[in-house]
Amino acid sequence: MRAAIVGAGSLGTIIGAFISKAGRDIHLIDSNAEHVRALNEHGATVTGSVNFTSPVCAFTPDALSGAYDLVFLLTKQTSTQETLSLLQAHLHADTTVCTLQNGIPELLVEKIVGKSRTVGGAVGFGATWLRPGVSSLTSSKEALENSAFEIGEMDGVERPRLALIKEYLECVGSTKILSNLMGIRFSKLLMNATFSGMSAALGCTFGEVLRDPRAMTCLAFIADECIKVAHAQAIRLVPMQGEDFERFKLGSALDIPGKMPLYRKIWSQHVALKASMLQDLEKGRATEIDYINGVVCRQGREHGVSTPFNDKVVEIVSAAQRRQALTSFDNLREFNGLLERHAGALPDGAAWAA
């Protein structure tokens, strides 16, 4: 069995380190030559919630040879087309490509490699790339132990290859096979659009979002928009991290205070996490905003669902990206008008005008 992680960035480095540590052969493939050199010379180092270094075998794409039976795709969606086009020569008819990317990437992946070779999955933990060869696990050990991955087939059929994928991913943490892949994807999209979207828009960690009532109110509306866009397509969100994400749907703004304990229960494991989109802004790179909050906006327009809070996140992050500028918590003021219109009935609504 020849297996590879394509896109050995923050998450890919950690996943590869765990799999190699467990004694399975896995190749780490990344376009960053300095990172690849460090991985080969010093191993993959994981810091943060856990600390260890594992020897790994890493390659740049131009140094590949032969075909792979299993590929875990962890590149940014901004490079999916280019990456998979280059990788085609190293796939055979029965290769499985398991995309663990953010957003809803399966539709693009299957267009490139074919539906029969495409499997999807959601990652339930976060990481930050520190330097060549080193990534920090910014979620708790409990997040790995309880909800590291959820995987599934496009058509919901549980094929034998899912068991093989599970064997690899369980080297990292708990891995569940579910039949409702799009439900998984929208649950993870909700996680990314809310905390990652607000982290990127406000230039802060998840913990700083959790501590601010106005930011959390925006987040509640972002989640509600995700759910309503999914429902417009007859998709129901599936539980993640042991919680029913359908519970985040709002009847009105008055429901928001009752949702806060559940948000804090789920995301308190990730307080140190800084969104990968924010890390991209800090490095002057293109973000995945169009593939995360942007997906909610586009599908909302297609299905007649209003998405003003997701629209605002996309506007803020896209503007920063164009200017190659950093975002800051001061951007919360840009949500004031939306908060006054949509959440003015809440008891502390007057504070939003501050």
Side-chain angles (χ1 to χ4, degrees):
M1 169 64 64
R2 294 192 84 216
I5 292 170
V6 178
S10 57
L11 287 172
T13 297
I14 289 173
I15 293 169
F18 272 103
I19 292 174
S20 293
K21 182 183 177 187
R24 285 186 174 269
D25 289 333
I26 187 96
H27 289 175
L28 277 63
I29 302 169
D30 198 85
S31 59
N32 184 332
E34 185 181 0
H35 180 45
V36 167
R37 184 166 53 252
L39 289 170
N40 285 324
E41 292 178 359
H42 307 294
T45 297
V46 181
T47 66
S49 301
V50 298
N51 291 273
F52 70 92
T53 298
S54 177
V56 294
C57 188
F59 298 91
T60 53
D62 61 333
L64 297 180
S65 63
Y68 289 96
D69 305 299
L70 174 61
V71 170
F72 294 104
L73 185 61
L74 280 145
T75 59
K76 303 287 187 185
Q77 278 210 67
T78 51
S79 63
T80 296
Q81 180 75 54
E82 179 183 5
T83 298
L84 289 181
S85 295
L86 291 172
L87 197 64
Q88 286 280 24
H90 303 285
L91 308 179
H92 56 70
D94 296 319
T95 299
T96 297
V97 177
C98 178
T99 172
L100 298 174
Q101 298 163 295
N102 289 327
I104 305 179
E106 288 81 6
L107 299 178
L108 177 56
V109 172
E110 73 174 14
K111 284 182 181 178
I112 304 169
V113 305
K115 183 177 291 187
S116 66
R117 295 198 288 189
T118 303
V119 170
V123 181
F125 61 94
T128 298
W129 191 86
L130 298 181
R131 59 186 179 276
V134 184
S135 283
S136 174
L137 177 64
T138 49
S139 297
S140 65
K141 289 176 64 177
E142 289 73 23
L144 291 185
E145 293 164 358
N146 299 326
S147 54
F149 303 98
E150 288 168 309
I151 58 174
E153 296 272 5
M154 294 287 287
D155 59 7
V157 175
E158 188 171 331
R159 296 182 175 87
R161 63 183 178 179
L162 287 178
L164 175 64
I165 293 169
K166 182 178 180 181
E167 287 179 14
Y168 274 85
L169 295 180
E170 284 199 323
C171 297
V172 183
S174 171
T175 303
K176 300 179 179 66
I177 296 174
L178 300 179
S179 60
N180 181 2
L181 180 59
M182 285 301 102
I184 297 169
R185 277 305 190 187
F186 264 93
S187 292
K188 182 62 189 294
L189 183 65
L190 183 150
M191 292 185 72
N192 283 326
T194 53
F195 277 90
S196 293
M198 290 301 287
S199 169
L202 303 183
C204 66
T205 64
F206 285 12
E208 290 171 282
V209 175
L210 274 168
R211 290 192 291 271
D212 189 278
R214 288 189 303 160
M216 288 299 293
T217 302
C218 294
L219 185 146
F221 281 113
I222 291 169
D224 181 60
E225 291 170 7
C226 290
I227 294 170
K228 287 173 178 170
V229 167
H231 286 183
Q233 301 173 73
I235 297 168
R236 292 191 66 81
L237 279 67
V238 301
M240 285 191 74
Q241 301 192 17
E243 301 295 341
D244 180 6
F245 277 33
E246 288 281 333
R247 291 172 59 191
F248 292 125
K249 183 179 179 182
L250 301 177
S252 75
L254 294 175
D255 294 339
I256 292 174
K259 310 291 184 184
M260 290 300 112
L262 183 57
Y263 276 118
R264 293 191 173 93
K265 178 181 178 182
I266 294 172
W267 275 276
S268 61
Q269 301 178 72
H270 311 287
V271 292
L273 187 58
K274 181 190 292 185
S276 61
M277 290 191 291
L278 177 55
Q279 296 177 51
D280 287 335
L281 286 176
E282 291 173 343
K283 295 169 185 174
R285 300 189 306 214
T287 74
E288 290 186 289
I289 191 65
D290 289 337
Y291 301 95
I292 299 178
N293 299 81
V295 170
V296 181
C297 302
R298 286 193 300 276
Q299 294 193 0
R301 288 192 293 271
E302 291 171 11
H303 296 278
V305 179
S306 177
T307 59
F309 284 85
N310 279 281
D311 292 343
K312 180 59 70 174
V313 170
V314 172
E315 176 188 323
I316 292 170
V317 176
S318 297
Q321 183 174 283
R322 285 192 303 272
R323 299 192 312 269
Q324 291 194 320
L326 298 180
T327 53
S328 77
F329 217 87
D330 289 342
N331 286 332
L332 191 55
R333 297 183 186 132
E334 296 196 30
F335 290 91
N336 281 350
L338 290 175
L339 288 169
E340 289 166 2
R341 285 197 298 277
H342 294 272
L346 288 175
D348 60 348
W352 295 322

